Amino acid sequence: KHKHILTKKSSSSLSMVDARSRKGNTNKTLLLRRSSSWDQRYLSTNAILSTTFDVLKFEHGRVPSSFGSGVYGLNNVFPLVCKFVKDLKKCQMNKFEKHNSRPLYFASVDIKKCYDNINQDHLCNIVCDLLSENDYLIQNFTVLHPFESMGKVQYKSVKRVCPPECYVQFPTIAQNHLAKDYTNSIFIDGVKCNVAKKDNIISQLREHLFGNMVVIKDSF
């Protein structure tokens, strides 16, 4: 049996790759997204969606409450835990004073097949409603700072997203923003700016959610 997996290529054409399963003789034809550069390297999903992700991070920074109870990572969990412990101790002290102390219970739950049951149409509409601008200007910078424990210099790409009318020149950004986050570092202006269109971002989101298929061990 032949299986065909289709995804659109960034240059509006498709790249075909033939792959053979190690467990059997099943032939698979994979059509994968490919870079338009001369070396034709394949782009990861994170690379394809990097601009969209940067824009959504910018919108989240504008209205953090739009993210609900979500967090970026463990660094965002710790302040929430500290606040919870502080509020809990305060609550227990009030109950102790009133001689009305009651046991505290914790419940740990897991939703079976949580991501499989997400309403993708509803999710897409929620994300699209977060986009408040028609155009987003993306400025690119590079930060070089020492990694003393490894004895080398570390490279990091930094982006600034804003409406086009809020453009700020590099010296101001370096002095007022980058210098506060990085010490003993060299800042390099990427010079070239990109403009992301709202319609293009929505189109890419819809393609990502509805136009791709995930295959894991011959299961779709």
Side-chain angles (χ1 to χ4, degrees), residues 114-126 209-210:
C114 173
Y115 291 100
D116 295 345
N117 294 309
I118 290 177
N119 187 325
Q120 294 184 342
D121 291 298
H122 184 56
L123 172 64
C124 188
N125 291 334
I126 291 176
L209 289 173
F210 308 114

Short mmCIF file of all heavy atoms in Angstrom, two decimals, residues 114-126 209-210:
data_model
loop_
_atom_site.label_atom_id
_atom_site.label_comp_id
_atom_site.label_asym_id
_atom_site.label_seq_id
_atom_site.Cartn_x
_atom_site.Cartn_y
_atom_site.Cartn_z
N CYS A 114 -6.31 14.93 25.74
CA CYS A 114 -6.68 16.35 25.81
C CYS A 114 -6.52 17.04 24.46
O CYS A 114 -7.45 17.65 23.94
CB CYS A 114 -5.85 17.04 26.88
SG CYS A 114 -6.06 18.82 26.96
N TYR A 115 -5.31 16.95 23.88
CA TYR A 115 -5.04 17.66 22.63
C TYR A 115 -5.82 17.07 21.46
O TYR A 115 -6.15 17.77 20.50
CB TYR A 115 -3.54 17.64 22.34
CG TYR A 115 -2.75 18.49 23.31
CD1 TYR A 115 -2.08 17.92 24.38
CD2 TYR A 115 -2.70 19.87 23.17
CE1 TYR A 115 -1.37 18.70 25.28
CE2 TYR A 115 -1.99 20.65 24.05
CZ TYR A 115 -1.33 20.07 25.11
OH TYR A 115 -0.63 20.84 26.01
N ASP A 116 -6.13 15.78 21.54
CA ASP A 116 -6.89 15.15 20.46
C ASP A 116 -8.32 15.68 20.41
O ASP A 116 -8.98 15.60 19.36
CB ASP A 116 -6.93 13.63 20.64
CG ASP A 116 -5.54 13.02 20.51
OD1 ASP A 116 -4.64 13.72 20.02
OD2 ASP A 116 -5.36 11.86 20.92
N ASN A 117 -8.82 16.17 21.54
CA ASN A 117 -10.22 16.59 21.62
C ASN A 117 -10.41 18.10 21.57
O ASN A 117 -11.52 18.59 21.80
CB ASN A 117 -10.85 16.04 22.91
CG ASN A 117 -10.92 14.53 22.90
OD1 ASN A 117 -11.42 13.94 21.95
ND2 ASN A 117 -10.41 13.90 23.94
N ILE A 118 -9.37 18.85 21.27
CA ILE A 118 -9.50 20.30 21.17
C ILE A 118 -10.29 20.64 19.91
O ILE A 118 -10.03 20.11 18.82
CB ILE A 118 -8.11 20.97 21.12
CG1 ILE A 118 -7.42 20.85 22.48
CG2 ILE A 118 -8.24 22.44 20.75
CD1 ILE A 118 -6.02 21.41 22.50
N ASN A 119 -11.24 21.52 20.05
CA ASN A 119 -12.01 22.02 18.91
C ASN A 119 -11.12 22.99 18.13
O ASN A 119 -10.96 24.15 18.52
CB ASN A 119 -13.29 22.71 19.38
CG ASN A 119 -14.21 23.10 18.23
OD1 ASN A 119 -13.75 23.47 17.15
ND2 ASN A 119 -15.50 23.01 18.46
N GLN A 120 -10.55 22.52 17.03
CA GLN A 120 -9.56 23.32 16.31
C GLN A 120 -10.18 24.55 15.64
O GLN A 120 -9.52 25.59 15.52
CB GLN A 120 -8.84 22.44 15.29
CG GLN A 120 -7.99 21.35 15.93
CD GLN A 120 -7.21 20.55 14.91
OE1 GLN A 120 -7.51 20.57 13.73
NE2 GLN A 120 -6.21 19.84 15.39
N ASP A 121 -11.41 24.45 15.21
CA ASP A 121 -12.07 25.62 14.61
C ASP A 121 -12.23 26.72 15.65
O ASP A 121 -11.95 27.90 15.38
CB ASP A 121 -13.45 25.22 14.06
CG ASP A 121 -13.34 24.32 12.85
OD1 ASP A 121 -12.78 24.76 11.83
OD2 ASP A 121 -13.80 23.17 12.92
N HIS A 122 -12.68 26.33 16.84
CA HIS A 122 -12.84 27.31 17.92
C HIS A 122 -11.49 27.88 18.34
O HIS A 122 -11.36 29.09 18.58
CB HIS A 122 -13.53 26.64 19.11
CG HIS A 122 -13.84 27.58 20.25
ND1 HIS A 122 -14.60 28.72 20.08
CD2 HIS A 122 -13.47 27.55 21.56
CE1 HIS A 122 -14.69 29.35 21.24
NE2 HIS A 122 -14.02 28.66 22.15
N LEU A 123 -10.48 27.02 18.42
CA LEU A 123 -9.13 27.46 18.78
C LEU A 123 -8.61 28.48 17.77
O LEU A 123 -8.05 29.51 18.14
CB LEU A 123 -8.19 26.26 18.85
CG LEU A 123 -6.70 26.56 19.04
CD1 LEU A 123 -6.45 27.25 20.37
CD2 LEU A 123 -5.88 25.29 18.93
N CYS A 124 -8.78 28.20 16.49
CA CYS A 124 -8.30 29.10 15.45
C CYS A 124 -8.99 30.46 15.53
O CYS A 124 -8.35 31.50 15.38
CB CYS A 124 -8.53 28.46 14.07
SG CYS A 124 -7.79 29.38 12.70
N ASN A 125 -10.28 30.45 15.81
CA ASN A 125 -11.03 31.72 15.92
C ASN A 125 -10.53 32.54 17.10
O ASN A 125 -10.42 33.77 17.02
CB ASN A 125 -12.53 31.44 16.07
CG ASN A 125 -13.15 30.86 14.82
OD1 ASN A 125 -12.65 31.09 13.71
ND2 ASN A 125 -14.22 30.10 14.97
N ILE A 126 -10.22 31.86 18.22
CA ILE A 126 -9.71 32.56 19.40
C ILE A 126 -8.37 33.23 19.09
O ILE A 126 -8.15 34.41 19.40
CB ILE A 126 -9.56 31.60 20.59
CG1 ILE A 126 -10.92 31.15 21.09
CG2 ILE A 126 -8.78 32.26 21.72
CD1 ILE A 126 -10.86 30.12 22.19
N LEU A 209 -3.09 24.20 11.20
CA LEU A 209 -4.08 23.45 11.95
C LEU A 209 -4.87 22.46 11.09
O LEU A 209 -5.17 21.35 11.53
CB LEU A 209 -5.07 24.41 12.63
CG LEU A 209 -4.52 25.23 13.81
CD1 LEU A 209 -5.55 26.24 14.27
CD2 LEU A 209 -4.12 24.32 14.97
N PHE A 210 -5.19 22.86 9.87
CA PHE A 210 -6.11 22.06 9.06
C PHE A 210 -5.49 21.44 7.81
O PHE A 210 -6.11 20.60 7.17
CB PHE A 210 -7.30 22.92 8.64
CG PHE A 210 -7.97 23.63 9.77
CD1 PHE A 210 -7.94 25.01 9.86
CD2 PHE A 210 -8.61 22.92 10.77
CE1 PHE A 210 -8.55 25.68 10.91
CE2 PHE A 210 -9.22 23.58 11.82
CZ PHE A 210 -9.19 24.96 11.90
#
